[in-house]
Amino acid sequence: MTRWLLLLLSACVPPPRVPIAYYVPPPAPAIDMARAGVVVERHAEFAFTGGRVELELRRDGDHLYEIARNHYAVAVVVAWQLGSLGELEPLSPTAGVVRLDPAAVPGGEGPPVVLAQLQLAAPDAPVRAPAVAVSARFGDPRARPRPYAYRLPYARGTTFAVLQGFHGAFSHRGSNEYAIDFDCPVATQVLAARPGVVVATFDGAQGSGTTPEFLAYGRANFVLVLHDDGTLGEYMHLAPSGVEVAPGQRVARGERLALSGNTGFSSTPHLHFAVMTAGEDGRTAQSFRFQLAIAPDRVEEPVQGRTYPSWE
């Protein structure tokens, strides 16, 4: 009986874990990757007013390096993947996620990051730059908000309702979980809800819709303001040619930023506002709960369907 009990117990013991073989990158070459070799190809991705993400393929003998640089004055998280390599053999993973540190000033040059190392299959093989698929998000994923009573982002004496609040059924899920939409008409003055520095803008988008292609960043006009706690104030769906500030400009609470509109993923004119930063995957964002100063002595989270007169 004891023997059968031992056999039964041993059958319930899980098998020993097999060690996982994690990728260990080779030691960094003892050369400056920013200046290594000859530039084979260079192009920009995620480009708006205030900067861009620059991708550069460099060749040093039979070795090639795919390098990324951030030209925004705010961190950017990038998910990337190399396409067909042709005559190139990978010496490192061909896909990944990286946080690119900011440039000192908008349009400046952040530190280079080597995304991938490649090698020619033969020394005389032709070099064709592989396609690089990129997804990017603004902000440092480590940023977390500090308590702050945000100003209503429209002029004193005007009153608007919250068309869609936190967890709104129409589109406030995932990256936009804690965003709010104010039901204001086109050309409403948009004011800064919190002081900060403008880091990126875009006002070249036209039109709106609710099909998936309108979800792309470049389909909606926006202003992003970097707060002192590292989070970003995101003002979206602005009017074409309606942005009134420039990257690098410090704005005060209540300062004019833009005119509201109806661009991007939208079914009606409104102003979208969120406190956010990048997600760790380079494809999504993190939005955060926040409170509004709705009266001189009253602060509360915005409530969908409630109207808010601006008093400041």
Side-chain angles (χ1 to χ4, degrees):
M1 179 66 180
T2 302
R3 177 172 174 271
W4 285 110
L5 180 61
L6 289 173
L7 287 173
L8 180 62
L9 290 172
S10 66
C12 296
V13 176
R17 291 184 177 181
V18 177
I20 300 174
Y22 290 101
Y23 168 74
V24 179
I31 53 176
D32 181 0
M33 285 290 94
R35 306 181 186 282
V38 178
V39 175
V40 175
E41 192 265 352
R42 179 188 293 133
H43 70 280
E45 298 280 354
F46 201 59
F48 301 103
T49 305
R52 64 192 185 278
V53 172
E54 187 176 78
L55 299 174
E56 184 178 84
L57 184 67
R58 284 182 171 262
R59 178 178 179 177
D60 186 9
D62 63 349
H63 281 69
L64 294 101
Y65 307 92
E66 189 71 51
I67 299 171
R69 288 186 183 84
N70 181 7
H71 290 262
Y72 290 102
V74 63
V76 175
V77 179
V78 175
W80 60 274
Q81 183 171 5
L82 298 183
S84 176
L85 298 181
E87 297 295 326
L88 300 175
E89 297 177 349
L91 301 178
S92 64
T94 57
V97 179
V98 63
R99 179 178 61 85
L100 299 179
D101 288 337
V105 295
E109 189 173 277
V113 174
V114 177
L115 302 182
Q117 300 183 40
L118 308 163
Q119 186 172 28
L120 284 170
D124 57 350
V127 177
R128 297 184 180 87
V132 187
V134 167
S135 174
R137 286 284 185 164
F138 290 108
D140 189 329
R142 301 170 298 182
R144 291 295 180 271
R146 292 197 291 266
Y148 186 84
Y150 288 82
R151 187 197 195 284
L152 289 161
Y154 41 87
R156 180 178 182 176
T158 56
T159 300
F160 299 113
V162 173
L163 181 66
Q164 186 179 197
F166 296 168
H167 313 295
F170 176 68
S171 62
H172 288 179
R173 300 176 298 277
S175 296
N176 293 314
E177 183 179 5
Y178 295 112
I180 59 172
D181 294 337
F182 289 102
D183 187 16
C184 54
V186 170
T188 298
Q189 292 181 15
V190 177
L191 310 183
R194 180 177 178 176
V197 177
V198 178
V199 290
T201 69
F202 185 62
D203 65 359
Q206 300 276 347
S208 63
T210 56
T211 48
E213 65 267 24
F214 285 99
L215 290 168
Y217 237 111
R219 299 304 300 267
N221 297 319
F222 64 86
V223 170
L224 290 181
V225 176
L226 179 64
H227 305 142
D228 60 5
D229 59 10
T231 62
L232 292 162
E234 180 183 61
Y235 307 77
M236 295 197 73
H237 307 294
L238 307 177
S241 303
V243 172
E244 301 177 10
V245 291
Q249 178 179 341
R250 179 168 288 279
V251 293
R253 179 187 177 100
E255 188 167 343
R256 282 184 60 157
L257 300 178
L259 297 176
S260 69
N262 186 30
T263 56
F265 192 82
S266 173
S267 60
T268 188
H270 69 281
L271 170 63
H272 165 111
F273 176 72
V275 179
M276 48 77 68
T277 192
E280 294 183 351
D281 60 1
R283 302 181 186 280
T284 59
Q286 304 175 69
S287 57
F288 304 105
R289 305 184 84 101
F290 63 89
Q291 294 185 315
L292 295 170
I294 63 169
D297 57 353
R298 187 175 173 189
V299 175
E300 68 176 34
E301 287 190 354
V303 177
Q304 184 168 311
R306 185 170 294 176
T307 57
Y308 293 97
S310 182
W311 57 276
E312 294 187 55

